[in-house]
């Protein structure tokens, strides 16, 4: 069977949740036994989002092969239980970069290099590369942006051409749109959808299926109207109502028959989707037995997308423990020695987040100290782990001047320092220690207990590292280095004993937590936090109370 391509465009407005719709459709097809991957095409000029500010772009999602990518790839991995790679995210910047490099090398043999055909050909080759790998029955292609944007045009044109290149029966066009409710008229309105479909059709890519985001159910007459004016059959109008959790969307889409229509139109076959495990997972999220409050201490807390994968991994770890995780977002800039107790009262676990630069560091150090001294389960990720090392050096090992050279480049005791191979780098894009590296765990450590194996691998994104020349001072003072990278002898995990659960990791475990395989460190962290909570000190609540408040 030749690979099928599903192009997903968005209309009317951004933020309709195209990534979740793609991931949900992907999950339904995987649950039918098909091999599926999803590719995101981003119409911006940055080569990748790695150099973008978290306020601008949200989290940068890192793949095993070290690509810095769009956060939608996180949804794809979490929903489909697949690993993605650089090939799954293409930006306009990358497309132009490659085309211009080829032009400089004379690859176009003196031709005038143009958007059509050269840019569109380059886009198509990126899409076809996944299909031609022979690894997939279906490639879902999510086109970023909104139909009608100038910058999306080359992508739409490329997809239009692909329908002829690979055969119309091998492709499908799905358009996600908004059906808004006008309170003054007391009605749902289809006009924006009609206009959006018209704009898309003018570019030659008319939709086969229309998914309508709406706050209210679409009645039959409304569906008929959309079908009639947008040139699709009635069952091809699919309603996507707001869901209680994003994980419910595959179930809602199945009920609306989205996967059935896709299967029919692409002649895909495959068994009925098996969503038993998925349904159980959603049930656990919607009706948990327990509840814990976890503090997420970071500097971008007003912008939750900056911590997308951490939030999802906490939900997964919570579901494993039949627990709803309530996140208290704590801005690290405002934590002081004086107010830390008040800010972190009634919290059962403290997670200190990743980050860059010195803003908010003093507050993070206070949060770490509070967790250590008050024996509150603690999870430090990347910069959070580096803060834990500095805090230990200063307050336990007696190195009051301990610091990271990221915040103080003339530190007298640089316990966190730039990695040697980072020292001479000038470029900032794609130059960190990125992607998958091995880590050997110390038998009997918290990490070992959680993972249940001695050799693991995790994804990285950092320039600084525990200073190997000074690390023995901390070891003698009781800090446990429970995970070490075997090739370069780098510290990957730190722990302290005599504490209910205190783990700092140099890598990003949140990137590998999926619905099918919740991350063991998040599961263990929530378990320890739940134990603390149930021990009576704060808000651990049993079934009845949880149901009322969840
Ligand atoms: N800024 C730190 C470093 O580069 C931590 C990075 C992170 O938290 N991802 O090492």
């Amino acid at each position: 069977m030749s690979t099928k391509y599903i192009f997903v465009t968005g209309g009317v407005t951004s933020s309709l949740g195209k990534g979740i719709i793609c991931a949900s459709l992907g999950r339904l097809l995987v649950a039918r036994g098909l091999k599926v991957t999803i590719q995101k095409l981003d119409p911006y000029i940055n080569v990748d989002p790695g150099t973008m500010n978290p306020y601008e772009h949200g989290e940068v999602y890192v793949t095993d092969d070290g690509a810095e990518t769009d956060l939608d790839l996180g949804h794809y991995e979490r929903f489909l239980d697949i690993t993605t790679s650089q090939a799954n995210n293409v930006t306009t910047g990358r497309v132009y970069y490659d085309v211009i490099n080829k032009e400089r090398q004379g690859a176009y043999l003196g031709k005038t290099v143009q958007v059509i055909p050269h840019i569109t050909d380059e886009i198509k080759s990126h899409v076809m590369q996944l299909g031609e790998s022979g690894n997939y029955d279906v490639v879902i292609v999510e086109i970023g942006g909104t139909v009608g944007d100038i910058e999306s045009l080359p992508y739409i044109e490329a997809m239009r051409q692909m329908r002829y290149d690979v055969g119309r029966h091998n492709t499908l066009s799905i358009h996600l749109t908004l059906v808004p409710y006008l309170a003054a008229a007391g009605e749902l309105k289809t006009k924006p959808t009609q206009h959006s479909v018209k704009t898309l059709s003018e570019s030659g890519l008319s939709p086969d299926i229309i998914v309508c985001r709406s706050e209210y159910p679409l009645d039959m007459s409304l569906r008929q109207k959309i079908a009639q004016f947008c040139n699709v059959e009635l069952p091809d109008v699919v309603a996507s109502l707001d869901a209680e959790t994003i994980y419910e969307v595959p179930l809602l889409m199945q009920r609306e028959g989205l996967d059935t229509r896709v299967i029919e139109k692409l002649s895909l076959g495959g068994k009925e989707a098996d969503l038993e495990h998925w349904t159980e997972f959603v049930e656990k999220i919607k009706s948990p037995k327990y509840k814990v409050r976890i503090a997420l201490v970071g500097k971008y807390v007003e912008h939750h997308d900056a911590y997308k994968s951490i939030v999802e991994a906490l939900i997964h770890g919570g579901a494993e423990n039949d627990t709803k995780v309530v996140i208290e977002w704590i801005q690290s800039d405002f934590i002081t020695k004086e107010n830390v107790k008040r800010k972190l009262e009634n919290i059962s676990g403290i997670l200190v987040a990743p980050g860059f630069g010195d803003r908010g560091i003093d507050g993070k150090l206070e949060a770490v100290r509070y967790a250590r001294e008050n024996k509150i389960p603690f999870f430090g990720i990347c910069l959070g782990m580096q803060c834990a090392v500095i805090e230990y050096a200063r307050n336990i090992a007696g190195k009051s001047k301990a610091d990271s050279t990221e915040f103080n480049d003339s530190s007298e005791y640089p316990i966190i320092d730039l990695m040697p191979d980072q020292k001479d780098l000038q470029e900032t894009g794609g130059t960190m220690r990125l992607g998958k590296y091995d880590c050997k765990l110390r038998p009997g450590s918290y990490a070992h207990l959680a993972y249940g194996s001695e050799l693991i691998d995790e994804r990285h994104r950092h320039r600084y590292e525990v200073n190997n020349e000074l690390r023995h001072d901390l070891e003698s003072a009781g800090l446990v280095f429970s995970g070490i990278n075997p090739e370069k002898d780098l510290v990957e995990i730190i722990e302290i004993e005599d504490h209910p659960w205190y783990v700092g990791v140099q890598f990003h475990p949140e990137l590998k937590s999926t619905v099918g395989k919740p991350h063991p460190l998040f599961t263990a962290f929530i378990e320890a936090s739940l134990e603390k909570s149930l021990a009576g000190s704060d808000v651990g609540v049993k079934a009845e109370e949880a149901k009322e408040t969840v």
Side-chain angles (χ1 to χ4, degrees):
M1 184 181 78
S2 48
T3 303
K4 311 285 184 182
Y5 297 90
I6 302 175
F7 307 128
V8 182
T9 51
V12 183
T13 165
S14 58
S15 305
L16 288 183
K18 226 185 306 153
I20 300 295
I21 292 292
C22 289
S24 300
L25 174 60
R27 164 46 47 194
L28 291 174
L29 298 179
V30 167
R32 283 174 172 267
L34 294 162
K35 286 182 277 158
V36 182
T37 194
I38 313 182
Q39 185 179 44
K40 175 87 192 275
L41 305 180
D42 275 313
Y44 52 71
I45 314 288
N46 306 64
V47 172
D48 61 42
T51 52
M52 283 193 228
N53 186 318
Y55 290 112
E56 194 68 29
H57 184 268
E59 168 187 272
V60 173
Y61 188 79
V62 179
T63 54
D64 269 355
D65 64 346
E68 295 177 290
T69 72
D70 187 76
L71 54 74
D72 273 335
L73 271 74
H75 292 310
Y76 309 159
E77 292 207 3
R78 287 187 281 274
F79 276 57
L80 273 65
D81 242 322
I82 53 168
T83 45
T84 55
S85 72
Q86 178 66 73
N88 292 76
N89 193 194
V90 180
T91 69
T92 295
R94 178 167 302 281
V95 169
Y96 272 79
Y97 188 84
D98 291 347
V99 167
I100 291 170
N101 275 333
K102 281 192 206 164
E103 185 271 337
R104 293 288 84 184
Q105 287 158 13
Y108 298 111
L109 304 175
K111 287 247 181 254
T112 308
V113 180
Q114 294 180 298
V115 173
I116 299 169
H118 301 101
I119 295 297
T120 43
D121 280 355
E122 189 69 24
I123 294 171
K124 284 196 286 179
S125 81
H126 278 289
V127 177
M128 303 286 283
Q129 186 195 334
L130 280 175
E132 285 167 354
S133 67
N135 296 333
Y136 308 108
D137 302 315
V138 180
V139 178
I140 300 175
V141 184
E142 178 187 347
I143 299 160
T146 309
V147 163
D149 296 349
I150 292 175
E151 53 194 24
S152 307
L153 281 174
Y155 292 98
I156 308 236
E157 168 61 14
M159 300 308 107
R160 184 194 70 78
Q161 292 178 16
M162 262 192 76
R163 300 202 85 170
Y164 293 93
D165 297 347
V166 301
R168 249 190 110 79
H169 58 288
N170 286 324
T171 66
L172 195 73
S173 160
I174 298 183
H175 189 56
L176 175 64
T177 146
L178 177 71
V179 178
Y181 178 75
L182 271 200
E187 271 181 6
L188 288 166
K189 290 294 184 187
T190 66
K191 195 71 87 184
T193 297
Q194 295 178 39
H195 280 298
S196 174
V197 169
K198 193 170 157 216
T199 309
L200 185 61
S201 303
E202 276 167 6
S203 312
L205 192 71
S206 36
D208 301 304
I209 294 176
I210 300 173
V211 180
C212 304
R213 276 301 304 275
S214 172
E215 284 170 35
Y216 296 97
L218 305 187
D219 64 23
M220 195 46 83
S221 69
L222 211 100
R223 287 174 192 253
Q224 267 158 353
K225 199 168 167 187
I226 293 173
Q228 190 182 21
F229 288 116
C230 301
N231 255 330
V232 295
E233 289 170 37
L234 192 58
D236 298 328
V237 179
V238 170
S240 170
L241 303 190
D242 292 351
E244 208 177 306
T245 136
I246 54 169
Y247 297 105
E248 210 178 356
V249 179
L251 306 177
L252 298 177
M253 288 301 97
Q254 187 188 38
R255 245 170 267 155
E256 278 285 311
L258 177 62
D259 58 328
T260 317
R261 285 309 271 175
V262 168
I263 293 288
E264 278 169 20
K265 285 173 182 287
L266 289 173
S267 317
L268 272 166
K271 56 181 174 51
E272 229 358 80
D274 175 6
L275 291 174
E276 200 182 317
H277 174 263
W278 195 274
T279 310
E280 273 169 27
F281 173 79
V282 172
E283 273 315 304
K284 275 195 205 150
I285 294 182
K286 288 174 75 173
S287 322
K289 206 162 170 193
Y290 308 107
K291 178 168 89 163
V292 285
R293 292 175 64 203
I294 301 290
L296 198 158
V297 180
K299 65 175 178 174
Y300 305 112
V301 292
E302 338 78 293
H303 190 55
H304 297 183
D305 269 3
Y307 303 110
K308 191 88 210 158
S309 293
I310 292 180
V311 173
E312 300 308 322
L314 285 170
I315 293 175
H316 304 163
E320 282 292 282
N321 287 288
D322 220 335
T323 297
K324 178 184 173 72
V325 176
V326 177
I327 298 177
E328 296 293 331
W329 299 88
I330 315 266
Q331 180 87 39
S332 54
D333 309 40
F334 305 136
I335 304 179
T336 62
K337 206 182 188 117
E338 290 68 42
N339 68 20
V340 63
K341 182 172 186 313
R342 188 168 45 78
K343 286 198 181 268
L344 296 176
E345 238 165 17
N346 298 331
I347 290 289
S348 307
I350 296 175
L351 189 154
V352 178
F356 293 83
D358 61 358
R359 177 161 74 82
I361 290 300
D362 291 342
K364 285 187 173 173
L365 292 171
E366 283 305 330
V368 174
R369 184 154 81 116
Y370 186 82
R372 184 177 54 73
E373 289 180 349
N374 294 285
K375 299 207 184 314
I376 299 169
F378 167 79
F379 199 5
I381 300 183
C382 206
L383 185 65
M385 172 265 206
Q386 296 174 354
C387 287
V389 172
I390 296 168
E391 192 277 328
Y392 201 87
R394 286 187 191 173
N395 300 328
I396 299 292
K399 308 287 181 189
S400 61
K401 298 277 194 286
D403 220 328
S404 163
T405 48
E406 183 174 8
F407 326 132
N408 173 7
D409 55 13
S410 53
S411 166
E412 282 171 40
Y413 193 82
I415 186 65
I416 305 291
D417 197 10
L418 204 57
M419 283 180 280
D421 49 5
Q422 289 282 329
K423 291 202 165 140
D424 299 320
L425 293 176
Q426 304 293 332
E427 280 196 26
T428 49
T431 54
M432 283 186 246
R433 180 173 180 241
L434 289 165
K436 176 169 116 168
Y437 289 95
D438 284 342
C439 171
K440 199 159 183 312
L441 303 179
R442 175 193 285 229
S445 59
Y446 282 123
H448 183 229
L449 262 160
Y451 282 97
S453 64
E454 254 176 66
L455 188 67
I456 54 134
D457 61 70
E458 290 284 359
R459 298 181 193 167
H460 299 68
R461 183 170 187 254
H462 63 121
R463 292 196 170 86
Y464 295 81
E465 180 53 69
V466 174
N467 188 336
N468 275 346
E469 281 170 25
L470 302 174
R471 89 184 199 207
H472 51 270
D473 292 346
L474 302 198
E475 216 156 13
S476 338
L479 191 66
V480 179
F481 298 120
S482 60
I484 300 286
N485 168 256
E487 290 93 39
K488 292 211 164 165
D489 190 35
L490 298 175
V491 172
E492 297 279 16
I493 311 182
I494 60 133
E495 299 184 9
I496 57 176
E497 284 161 350
D498 191 25
H499 192 284
W501 204 84
Y502 184 103
V503 176
V505 294
Q506 183 55 76
F507 46 81
H508 292 268
E510 70 276 17
L511 302 176
K512 287 199 4 178
S513 188
T514 70
V515 171
K517 289 191 213 78
H519 196 286
L521 288 179
F522 279 87
T523 303
F525 172 55
I526 298 300
E527 189 183 345
S529 305
L530 181 62
E531 259 166 40
K532 158 128 188 80
S533 157
L534 293 176
S537 56
D538 57 71
V539 294
V541 280
K542 292 265 166 72
E544 288 316 303
E545 202 186 327
K547 284 218 176 77
E548 269 170 39
T549 46
V550 165

